[in-house]
Amino acid sequence: MPDLPQTRRLLEEGLEQHQWSGYTLSGFSRGEPFTLFGGKVSRPDASVCWYSAGKPVVSAGVLRILEDNPEPWDWPMHRTFPELEGSHLGNQSLFAILTHQTGLRFVNLDLSAPNPEIFKTLARAKPEDFQLQAGQPAYDPRGGWWLLSQWITRHTRRPWRDYLHETI
């Protein structure tokens, strides 16, 4: 991994001056991925770490998967994730996840928790927990991105990072 001391110093200064609550910088050095991160961000390998900046890459990955098998587009999430059976999120579509229209917003979801714990949190959630209505658009910086990364992993049987890097 490259050292990048000046970059890290500037990012840390921004944290200290409250210019941002956290940062993630991902790149490639000699063909290998690297990530600098700090502050209030999830582990870079826990989810798609680029949030909105990664939406084109994630969307292209999802569409590439659907090119080979379009059937999952119409499935409720519980078809891919049995852990969500009987829950509000389990009845949502892939479209609702991609467009932030689930009525859910997991701003403080602990992505460092084991996957079964994250699924339990997602399965318990209802829109009223977030003062939202079912189907209401609400940017979900953690839950939706984590679920999309898991969706890619389950439908490709490969780690989402590898799939997106190699395919997209």
Side-chain angles (χ1 to χ4, degrees), residues 103-104 121 124-132:
L104 304 175
T121 300
R124 284 191 306 259
K126 298 176 183 78
E128 53 268 21
D129 299 337
F130 305 96
Q131 292 79 46
L132 300 169

Side-chain angles (χ1 to χ4, degrees), residues 111-140:
L111 297 177
S112 65
N115 283 7
E117 279 185 43
I118 295 173
F119 274 114
K120 283 181 187 175
T121 300
L122 297 177
R124 284 191 306 259
K126 298 176 183 78
E128 53 268 21
D129 299 337
F130 305 96
Q131 292 79 46
L132 300 169
Q133 301 296 314
Q136 181 177 348
Y139 182 65
D140 180 14

Side-chain angles (χ1 to χ4, degrees), residues 1-5 7-8 11 23-37 43-45 49-50 160-161 165:
M1 180 168 105
D3 189 16
L4 304 176
T7 300
R8 184 177 292 279
L11 291 169
Y23 64 87
T24 303
L25 173 68
S26 297
F28 288 89
S29 176
R30 295 186 173 97
E32 293 296 317
F34 72 89
T35 304
L36 300 176
F37 65 100
R43 284 187 346 259
D45 62 344
C49 57
W50 322 289
W160 63 268
R161 277 186 109 144
H165 175 68

Side-chain angles (χ1 to χ4, degrees), residues 8-58:
R8 184 177 292 279
R9 181 182 51 76
L10 290 172
L11 291 169
E12 291 294 327
E13 282 177 10
L15 273 178
E16 291 170 14
Q17 296 169 8
H18 305 288
Q19 292 176 328
W20 42 76
S21 59
Y23 64 87
T24 303
L25 173 68
S26 297
F28 288 89
S29 176
R30 295 186 173 97
E32 293 296 317
F34 72 89
T35 304
L36 300 176
F37 65 100
K40 295 180 181 177
V41 296
S42 61
R43 284 187 346 259
D45 62 344
S47 179
V48 179
C49 57
W50 322 289
Y51 301 123
S52 288
K55 184 161 253 174
V57 176
V58 172

Side-chain angles (χ1 to χ4, degrees), residues 38-160:
K40 295 180 181 177
V41 296
S42 61
R43 284 187 346 259
D45 62 344
S47 179
V48 179
C49 57
W50 322 289
Y51 301 123
S52 288
K55 184 161 253 174
V57 176
V58 172
S59 298
V62 167
L63 291 172
R64 180 64 192 96
I65 293 164
L66 292 170
E67 275 184 332
D68 293 334
N69 180 14
E71 201 174 315
W73 178 252
D74 294 321
W75 291 356
M77 283 290 110
H78 69 81
R79 289 271 311 263
T80 299
F81 305 108
E83 303 93 331
L84 299 176
E85 179 77 43
S87 71
H88 173 77
L89 191 54
N91 290 319
Q92 299 298 304
S93 67
L94 182 59
F95 180 78
I97 306 295
L98 283 165
T99 58
H100 307 291
Q101 295 185 50
T102 64
L104 304 175
R105 185 182 315 152
F106 298 96
V107 177
N108 297 314
L109 184 64
D110 180 8
L111 297 177
S112 65
N115 283 7
E117 279 185 43
I118 295 173
F119 274 114
K120 283 181 187 175
T121 300
L122 297 177
R124 284 191 306 259
K126 298 176 183 78
E128 53 268 21
D129 299 337
F130 305 96
Q131 292 79 46
L132 300 169
Q133 301 296 314
Q136 181 177 348
Y139 182 65
D140 180 14
R142 291 193 183 288
W145 290 109
W146 184 84
L147 199 60
L148 288 171
S149 68
Q150 298 302 304
W151 190 92
I152 289 170
T153 296
R154 292 217 182 160
H155 283 275
T156 63
R157 295 183 178 89
R158 298 169 56 195
W160 63 268

